[in-house]
Amino acid sequence: MAVLTIRTYPATDSQIPLCRHAARETVAGHRTFDPDTVGLLLTELATNAVKHSSSPAFTVAVALTERARLLVAVVDGGHGEPKPHIRDAGLSATGGRGLVLVEALAHRWGVDQEGGGMLVWFELAPEAERAKECASVAGVSGQ
């Protein structure tokens, strides 16, 4: 695995745009991944760390895996309960849809207990691989 960046932020709302911008800048040099998707999904994970962890800080790591996928992780030092999960947010709810977006856009994602805190991560396939998967699901052939 090739680590592209690791950075720790104070767990405040004002840091979420900063970590999103830093991750987008990191990924912009790797044209195989969409910086907007990275930014959106990271925003969801960072927001959860700030809102739900009671941790004073969170750390963002961005890496390339051996399979040429992008791995983004958010680690916080909070109590780790409740474990992040997909919720069924009602139509009038103002939140609760973040992990639904992660589930829909990430190749895969997960949650791991990290000491006294939580590690929440997502993995993105390169855009070319995602396009092939979408075409396959839609029944479109490349011939």
Side-chain angles (χ1 to χ4, degrees):
M1 185 167 319
V3 176
L4 302 177
T5 186
I6 297 176
R7 186 164 174 197
T8 300
Y9 300 87
T12 62
D13 290 339
S14 65
Q15 297 300 301
I16 295 169
L18 298 176
C19 77
R20 176 179 56 238
H21 177 73
R24 291 187 72 221
E25 288 295 310
T26 298
V27 173
H30 299 273
R31 299 200 184 272
T32 56
F33 303 101
D34 177 26
D36 291 333
T37 301
V38 172
L40 173 65
L41 300 185
L42 175 56
T43 296
E44 298 304 331
L45 299 190
T47 299
N48 284 348
V50 169
K51 298 288 185 200
H52 303 295
S53 76
S54 69
S55 176
F58 64 96
T59 299
V60 176
V62 180
L64 288 174
T65 71
E66 294 83 14
R67 297 188 66 203
R69 293 192 174 147
L70 188 74
L71 178 66
V72 178
V74 174
V75 181
D76 65 62
H79 51 76
E81 293 295 332
K83 186 174 178 180
H85 61 282
I86 295 175
R87 297 189 314 172
D88 183 19
L91 293 175
S92 61
T94 58
R97 294 179 185 83
L99 291 178
V100 172
L101 290 171
V102 174
E103 175 77 19
L105 297 175
H107 180 73
R108 61 190 193 120
W109 71 280
V111 179
D112 299 309
Q113 298 290 337
E114 232 357 78
M118 190 75 61
L119 181 147
V120 185
W121 57 271
F122 65 86
E123 185 179 270
L124 292 177
E127 287 297 309
E129 185 178 330
R130 289 180 49 150
K132 285 181 187 176
E133 288 175 4
C134 290
S136 173
V137 168
V140 177
S141 82
Q143 301 172 0

